[in-house]
Amino acid sequence: MWLKLNLDGIALSLRIRQYKKVKVDDWDSTWCKTDFSFIAEPWLKYIKEDDEVLLAREVDDLVEALEKLLADQLSTPTEFTCIEPDFIFELTPKEDLRSNPRFVYIRPGCEIADIDLEWKVFFWHEGLTGNYLSVALARPDIECLLTYLKVVTGRLSEKDEQVQTLIAKGILY
């Protein structure tokens, strides 16, 4: 199954295969096969197929981190890094902007900034480079990513109503 999101003009496609639940003491033994692309014609076309960029344990840990983010259980920004340096996920919890000295004025009704996730995708060219693409996921995108990861890990089935809704919208296919 694939996840497809439109991230402000950048089309993300992601498929994680060969996930297998692992024991805590065997966390580094099982790699998932991952296909992904970030495309915004004509300027961006970054595609990887059959890459081992995520451990099964990292998929589990990312599910847990996203659940905490969505449930407002994170109090500070959190960086989620992977063993392979292809992805970094920066999770930002809700923030009361009235207590942030960077803001002089906040319009009434806009005092709380909602959660977000910055997904950094590092580029390879004859090895890892210092260049990366940064895409922002707002709450609805984070919810879709979490639902997809739960399908990958078997926590949700394709018959689940939430999954069926995303399939009907073309977000999961």
Side-chain angles (χ1 to χ4, degrees):
M1 178 171 279
W2 285 84
L3 168 70
K4 183 176 185 180
L5 294 173
N6 181 341
L7 304 174
D8 293 325
I10 298 176
L12 158 67
S13 294
L14 174 68
R15 179 171 64 167
I16 299 172
R17 298 174 284 116
Q18 297 181 5
Y19 167 88
K20 185 173 67 171
K21 184 80 174 161
V22 294
K23 296 179 180 160
V24 175
D25 61 342
D26 197 25
W27 65 271
D28 62 345
S29 65
T30 304
W31 289 93
C32 299
K33 296 289 185 179
T34 307
D35 307 309
F36 62 91
S37 66
F38 292 83
I39 298 175
E41 296 289 349
W43 64 275
L44 175 65
K45 190 173 182 181
Y46 190 64
I47 301 169
K48 291 288 186 175
E49 296 176 335
D50 219 28
D51 265 11
E52 291 182 338
V53 296
L54 291 169
L55 287 163
R57 182 69 209 181
E58 290 171 329
V59 175
D60 291 331
D61 292 344
L62 185 56
V63 166
E64 184 179 317
L66 295 178
E67 287 176 334
K68 286 181 179 178
L69 179 64
L70 286 162
D72 296 327
Q73 294 175 346
L74 295 180
S75 58
T76 59
T78 303
E79 185 175 88
F80 183 93
T81 59
C82 303
I83 296 294
E84 286 297 321
D86 296 72
F87 300 144
I88 292 178
F89 301 90
E90 293 185 358
L91 293 70
T92 305
K94 281 185 180 178
E95 179 185 5
D96 186 340
L97 301 177
R98 295 171 293 193
S99 60
N100 187 326
R102 295 182 307 144
F103 295 95
V104 176
Y105 172 78
I106 300 163
R107 186 176 68 184
C110 299
E111 295 89 356
I112 307 297
D114 199 10
I115 64 169
D116 68 26
L117 181 147
E118 180 182 2
W119 184 345
K120 293 181 179 180
V121 182
F122 287 83
F123 296 119
W124 290 80
H125 177 74
E126 299 175 6
L128 185 66
T129 72
N131 301 316
Y132 64 90
L133 170 70
S134 173
V135 292
L137 284 75
R139 180 180 291 274
D141 301 318
I142 297 167
E143 290 169 345
C144 292
L145 176 59
L146 177 59
T147 298
Y148 173 71
L149 294 174
K150 285 182 173 183
V151 171
V152 167
T153 60
R155 295 177 193 179
L156 289 176
S157 78
E158 288 187 32
K159 295 178 182 178
D160 185 89
E161 182 180 335
Q162 184 180 7
V163 175
Q164 286 298 310
T165 300
L166 293 181
I167 289 172
K169 291 180 179 180
I171 295 171
L172 298 181
Y173 61 97

